[in-house]
């Protein structure tokens, strides 16, 4: 049987990760829904909310889904815009994002 103190510690850790994920999603999604963070580059409408299928791969060690990889490839022309946006940079400039991109065969941009 797991001691109650260990269970509480694990629950707190899980709660912190879950809260971080929700807050991250809200920070990314809010500007996208408000229309403030949209760029049109090439024939792509840049919208970071399109990358939600990648959330599972970012939050865990699971490989990215084909939907995630497809969206990353579609949004590739937008990456420098995401990196230059102060509200998105903290999420876009992240080693885990690079790992997910590499798994999809999507190179990290040189902006």
């Amino acid at each position: 049987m797991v001691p109650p103190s260990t269970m509480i510690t694990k629950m707190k850790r899980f709660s912190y990760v879950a809260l971080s994920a929700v807050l991250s999603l809200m920070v990314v999604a809010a500007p996208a829904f408000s229309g403030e963070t949209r760029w049109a580059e090439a024939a792509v409408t840049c919208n970071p909310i399109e990358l939600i299928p990648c959330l599972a791969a970012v939050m865990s060690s699971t490989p990215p889904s084909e939907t995630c990889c497809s969206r990353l490839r579609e949004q590739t022309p937008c990456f420098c815009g995401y990196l230059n946006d102060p509200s998105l940079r903290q999420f876009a400039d992240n080693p885990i994002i690079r790992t997910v991109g590499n798994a999809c065969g999507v190179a990290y941009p040189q902006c």
Side-chain angles (χ1 to χ4, degrees), residues 9-97:
T9 302
K10 286 184 178 185
M11 289 173 60
K12 285 181 181 177
R13 196 172 301 142
F14 175 77
S15 296
Y16 176 76
V17 171
L19 179 62
S20 295
V22 169
L23 290 176
S24 298
L25 184 58
M26 286 173 38
V27 169
V28 171
F33 283 126
S34 68
E36 296 172 11
T37 309
R38 291 183 180 231
W39 302 276
E41 297 187 21
V44 176
T45 299
C46 298
N47 185 350
I49 202 78
E50 293 293 321
L51 298 174
I52 284 180
C54 298
L55 190 59
V58 171
M59 297 305 298
S60 68
S61 59
T62 60
S65 66
E66 183 52 42
T67 303
C68 168
C69 291
S70 173
R71 299 280 178 87
L72 279 174
R73 286 188 286 274
E74 289 171 6
Q75 294 284 307
T76 299
C78 310
F79 291 165
C80 286
Y82 296 156
L83 287 168
N84 291 324
D85 184 316
S87 65
L88 298 175
R89 181 176 182 81
Q90 63 183 337
F91 304 106
D93 189 18
N94 178 323
I96 296 170
I97 301 296

